[in-house]
Amino acid sequence: MTGGPAGRIRLRRRRRPNPPPPAAAGGGPLFLATTLAGLEDVLADEVRARLPAVRVRERGRGRLILEAPDAAPLLGLRTADNLYRVLGRFRIGPHRADLAAVTAAAAAVDLRPFAPPGGGDAGGPPPTLFVNASRAGQHTFSRFELAAAATAGLLGAHPRWREGEATAHDLELRLDAAADRALLSLRLTPAAFRFRGERAFSPAALRPTVAHALVWLSRPAPADRFLDPFCGSGTVLAERLAYPAARLTGGDADAAALRAARANLPPAPALGLARLDARRLPLRAGVVDAAVSNLPFGRQVAAPDGIDALYRDFARELARVLSPGGRAILLTDQVPALQAALAAAGLRGESRLELSLKGRHPQAVAVTAG
């Protein structure tokens, strides 16, 4: 499986006078796939490579609109945080008085096909729904007023339904308003979807979808001898296990992080875990085809001798263990320090994407031999 380059998204302005309907003309239903801002290109590349029957219809910050025969294949997208079925698209005005149009548009949405068993118009308990809303633009109403307007329309069109609570409902809907456009969609994935279920996390652990994006950028191949020398709780290794490899080696200097990795990772014949120092890797020269790692930034995980020294020693070891043509994807917000260390070790580093993580903006640096 091969990943493609990720870069800056260019949002294209639509020239049609009206937004498209929930289903593309002549095509299947539309779905909204969300991801961390900065990973849109990686998610789109994963869609193209793994799901040839799915078409990318639109891109926006942290989201793709996809046309697919049904939702089932989309649930396997590992760079997607959540998936939604698009139920309606409509124009929205900037004033509080324009919320009446939101109520009317929501009232035109039929939720009966998505009702839980026994709900809807049947004789079971009343189904419940909850609307989360967001807005971007010069609006005089709040996102809470926006959600309330949509809720009023949905409940008016479905008299047996009731409004649920944020943590207790049968259906969760999402209403995104951006300037004069609004998108109403139904959430298909549970809250644990983006975390791959229950996990033990170490400090500075990556979200699995971010780890997968890094793995994808490394162009995983079945013959790879793969290394993560700062494996933490094993998130990168878990994502690399989604693809065949000849050998997977992971390690960390922190014993607690390594225990978390052993708890998180399933047994695999090709996987080896060990406590190790990335500045002195216990590996022969030239035995690593691909490396992916979330490097210490020097904050949540400290570097006793400083980041510059750590990166310099690690880069020297990386240059030693990489095979001819070997490659690495390294995530850090200390890019100048990493680039200096790579150059000193005879390696080249190219920033491939920038993320927004908890107020920081780390970059994924693609490394090749000099």
Side-chain angles (χ1 to χ4, degrees), residues 140-159:
T140 62
F141 48 81
S142 70
R143 65 184 181 92
F144 301 105
E145 291 171 314
L146 182 62
T151 301
L154 293 165
L155 295 181
H158 303 82

Side-chain angles (χ1 to χ4, degrees), residues 71-356:
L74 305 179
L75 296 174
L77 291 172
R78 302 187 71 88
T79 315
D81 280 333
N82 283 296
L83 294 167
Y84 301 80
R85 170 71 182 267
V86 176
L87 300 181
R89 310 182 77 177
F90 50 92
R91 290 196 181 278
I92 185 170
H95 305 296
R96 187 170 283 108
D98 295 316
L99 290 174
V102 174
T103 299
V109 173
D110 186 3
L111 293 180
R112 288 175 299 176
F114 312 105
D121 296 326
T128 57
L129 61 86
F130 187 82
V131 178
N132 280 308
S134 68
R135 61 177 184 85
Q138 299 299 314
H139 304 111
T140 62
F141 48 81
S142 70
R143 65 184 181 92
F144 301 105
E145 291 171 314
L146 182 62
T151 301
L154 293 165
L155 295 181
H158 303 82
R160 290 198 68 254
W161 291 61
R162 299 290 182 267
E163 183 176 8
E165 299 178 358
T167 57
H169 47 262
D170 294 313
L171 296 184
E172 180 179 333
L173 295 102
R174 168 179 173 145
L175 179 57
D176 296 297
D180 64 343
R181 306 286 178 93
L183 177 75
L184 181 65
S185 53
L186 172 69
R187 183 168 180 162
L188 302 178
T189 48
F193 177 79
R194 65 182 180 179
F195 296 112
R196 316 280 194 251
E198 297 295 327
R199 287 180 49 83
F201 287 100
S202 61
L206 286 180
R207 186 186 301 180
T209 50
V210 177
H212 177 266
L214 301 179
V215 166
W216 186 264
L217 289 173
S218 77
R219 308 187 308 278
D224 278 347
R225 296 166 295 177
F226 179 88
L227 171 69
D228 181 359
F230 298 96
C231 76
S233 52
T235 313
V236 166
L237 290 168
E239 295 305 305
R240 186 58 183 84
L241 280 170
Y243 306 99
R247 179 67 179 167
L248 297 164
T249 301
D252 202 285
D254 184 79
L258 201 57
R259 284 194 297 271
R262 290 194 170 103
N264 289 329
L265 294 167
L271 175 63
L273 288 172
R275 191 172 182 184
L276 56 79
D277 185 345
R279 300 169 299 177
R280 291 179 290 275
L281 292 170
L283 299 172
R284 300 191 311 275
V287 298
V288 173
D289 302 306
V292 174
S293 206
N294 177 26
L295 302 185
F297 296 179
R299 292 173 177 83
Q300 287 179 284
V301 178
D305 299 326
I307 284 294
D308 290 343
L310 174 64
Y311 284 9
R312 183 177 59 249
D313 293 344
F314 165 61
R316 184 179 61 248
E317 280 292 270
L318 182 65
R320 182 182 68 82
V321 301
L322 278 178
S323 64
R327 59 213 185 272
I329 301 291
L330 306 175
L331 185 70
T332 182
D333 71 348
Q334 304 293 306
V335 176
L338 177 60
Q339 292 285 21
L342 293 172
L347 299 171
R348 295 194 306 272
E350 176 188 0
S351 293
R352 296 286 292 277
L353 53 80
E354 181 175 302
L355 307 178
S356 178

Side-chain angles (χ1 to χ4, degrees), residues 30-97:
L30 296 180
F31 298 88
L32 167 66
T34 62
T35 190
L36 188 73
L39 297 183
E40 300 88 354
D41 275 350
V42 182
L43 177 56
D45 193 50
E46 185 189 0
V47 170
R48 285 190 294 265
R50 297 181 58 192
L51 303 175
V54 176
R55 300 182 65 184
V56 178
R57 287 294 185 179
E58 295 178 31
R59 301 188 198 195
R61 180 176 170 79
R63 57 181 243 174
L64 301 181
I65 300 293
L66 306 174
E67 179 192 339
D70 58 69
L74 305 179
L75 296 174
L77 291 172
R78 302 187 71 88
T79 315
D81 280 333
N82 283 296
L83 294 167
Y84 301 80
R85 170 71 182 267
V86 176
L87 300 181
R89 310 182 77 177
F90 50 92
R91 290 196 181 278
I92 185 170
H95 305 296
R96 187 170 283 108

